């Protein structure tokens, strides 16, 4: 099981001081948070993609590559790669390059995005969100698996004899998660391809998450990728910890009450009761997180949102220290009673092994007369 954090890259005023970090500070903070995540033993750090204020996450592959250059082990992922408004050719090539730069230490989570004005900025219509996600991923899937692609669709110009470069590292495309909060069509899409399904799981009650994950598992089995409990599931979550729960609640309340997403709405207590948000001691966070398995089954990836609502960098790093202390108990708790046939979270190494080892993906020019390639000439 993998544990990690995700960020959406928001620039939010700290309600306790009135100070708003600059974009420069927020971008740099994401790097420091990722480095700290590796230091405390986390497995994954995921960055978002937004193209509107107050977010600075407009270029996830740039941020991921910069983080990768300063880390050694942690997997780089996305908390959303916008499959609806980003050209799938660009996704294939940008993330394909990143896969090589990181030596396979990456994957990505595709999502539709829910900011209406962003769609027309990229020539799209939010009312076509599901159709865009379906068609664009169908193309992306082929671009990573076929050396030469001919394509005709509704939402982009046709492709004729097109090759996305670079080709996937070791002949194995990056692993793809399909993320959603509320769309069953996304769970169906993930199941159809045998990809991972990530239920964001931060705004909705457990009953909703249970239904979404159960649908994905049933359809995963229906499409012949394995049994339902072998489907690849990830969950989001959020917490705020202090050594005792009273301190955690007292400190986080002002951030919660003024947060752009859920502030000025339900009380902290009501929201925490109705969603996975846990504000309390490390033991409370441990028990609440381990209980996720009761309604989704054994799963592969757990990511937490911790750098939001205006929380200062110092506080976020302290949260990571506390999470690092919990990691051994989290790993032990999720391992207990886990059936042997339930797969681990996919990595590049495991995908290469499943494919039978690395493959040469270099494209070689063919001589029209002799039919030989430049590789044949070198080997001769």
């Amino acid at each position: 099981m993998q544990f990690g954090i995700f960020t959406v890259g928001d620039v939010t005023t700290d309600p306790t001081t009135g100070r708003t970090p600059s974009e420069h500070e927020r971008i740099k903070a994401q790097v420091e948070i990722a480095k700290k995540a590796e230091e405390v033993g986390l497995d994954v750090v995921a960055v978002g993609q937004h193209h509107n204020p107050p977010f600075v996450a407009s270029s996830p592959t740039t941020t991921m590559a910069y983080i990768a250059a300063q880390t050694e082990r942690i997997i780089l992922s996305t908390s959303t790669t916008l499959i609806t408004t980003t050209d799938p050719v660009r996704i294939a090539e940008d993330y394909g390059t990143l896969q090589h730069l990181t030596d396979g230490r990456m994957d990505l989570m595709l999502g539709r995005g829910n900011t209406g004005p962003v769609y027309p900025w990229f020539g799209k219509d939010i009312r076509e969100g599901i159709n865009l996600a379906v068609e664009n991923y169908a193309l992306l899937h082929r671009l990573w698996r076929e050396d030469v692609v001919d394509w005709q669709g509704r939402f982009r110009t046709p492709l004729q004899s097109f090759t996305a470069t670079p080709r996937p590292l070791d002949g194995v495309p990056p692993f793809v998660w399909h993320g959603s909060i509320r769309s069953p069509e996304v769970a169906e899409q993930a199941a159809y391809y045998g990809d991972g399904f990530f239920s964001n799981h931060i705004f909705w009650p457990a009953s909703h998450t249970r239904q979404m994950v159960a649908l994905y598992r049933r359809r995963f089995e229906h499409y012949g990728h394995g049994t339902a409990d072998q489907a690849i599931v990830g969950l989001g979550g959020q917490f705020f910890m202090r050594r005792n729960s009273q301190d955690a609640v007292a400190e986080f309340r002002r951030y919660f009450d003024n947060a752009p997403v859920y502030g000025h709405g339900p009380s902290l207590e009501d929201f925490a009761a109705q969603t996975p948000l846990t504000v309390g001691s490390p033991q409370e966070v441990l028990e609440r997180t381990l209980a996720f398995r009761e309604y989704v089954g054994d799963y592969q990836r757990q990511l937490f949102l911790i750098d939001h609502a205006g929380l200062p960098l110092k506080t976020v790093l302290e949260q990571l220290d506390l999470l690092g202390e919990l990691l051994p108990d989290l790993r032990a708790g999720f391992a207990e009673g886990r059936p042997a046939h339930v797969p681990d979270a996919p990595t590049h190494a495991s995908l290469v092994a499943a494919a039978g080892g690395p493959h040469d993906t270099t494209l070689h020019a063919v001589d029209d007369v002799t039919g030989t390639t430049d590789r044949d000439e070198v080997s001769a």
Side-chain angles (χ1 to χ4, degrees), residues 41-225:
L42 292 175
D43 306 301
V44 183
V45 61
V47 301
Q49 181 182 354
H50 290 277
H51 296 279
N52 57 295
F55 301 99
V56 293
S58 59
S59 182
T61 51
T62 304
T63 304
M64 293 164 74
Y66 190 80
I67 292 170
Q70 300 186 57
T71 55
E72 297 180 355
R73 180 190 54 80
I74 201 161
I75 295 170
L76 289 307
S77 189
T78 58
S79 50
T80 298
T81 297
L82 296 176
I83 188 64
T84 48
T85 53
T86 308
D87 183 358
V89 172
R90 293 303 309 160
I91 294 177
E93 297 188 334
D94 288 349
Y95 287 90
T97 301
L98 183 67
Q99 187 192 35
H100 284 270
L101 289 173
T102 62
D103 295 320
R105 190 162 49 99
M106 56 78 65
D107 56 37
L108 68 161
M109 185 204 310
L110 302 179
R112 290 188 294 131
N114 56 11
T115 308
V118 172
Y119 278 73
W121 296 343
F122 293 90
K124 308 301 180 185
D125 185 337
I126 194 171
R127 294 170 295 184
E128 294 278 13
I130 291 292
N131 292 328
L132 281 161
V134 170
E135 180 177 299
N136 284 351
Y137 184 60
L139 174 55
L140 175 61
H141 193 267
R142 288 185 59 192
L143 290 170
W144 274 337
R145 289 164 176 81
E146 300 175 28
D147 286 344
V148 181
V149 173
D150 294 312
W151 172 265
Q152 178 85 42
R154 290 179 55 202
F155 299 114
R156 79 170 321 280
T157 53
L159 297 175
Q160 295 181 347
S161 301
F162 179 79
T163 298
T165 59
R167 304 306 298 148
L169 177 65
D170 299 323
V172 175
F175 186 76
V176 170
W177 301 82
H178 299 259
S180 180
I181 297 175
R182 62 186 184 276
S183 302
E185 296 92 341
V186 175
E188 176 76 15
Q189 183 182 38
Y192 176 80
Y193 288 102
D195 295 336
F197 177 64
F198 190 92
S199 181
N200 200 350
H201 192 226
I202 60 174
F203 298 126
W204 290 67
S207 58
H208 175 78
T209 300
R210 179 189 292 112
Q211 289 180 316
M212 290 287 285
V213 172
L215 169 63
Y216 162 66
R217 289 188 184 280
R218 288 197 306 271
R219 301 302 288 171
F220 182 94
E221 182 171 309
H222 168 80
Y223 288 116
H225 301 297

Side-chain angles (χ1 to χ4, degrees), residues 2 75 104 175 345-352:
Q2 294 173 341
I75 295 170
F175 186 76
T347 64
H348 181 72
S350 70
L351 296 173
V352 169

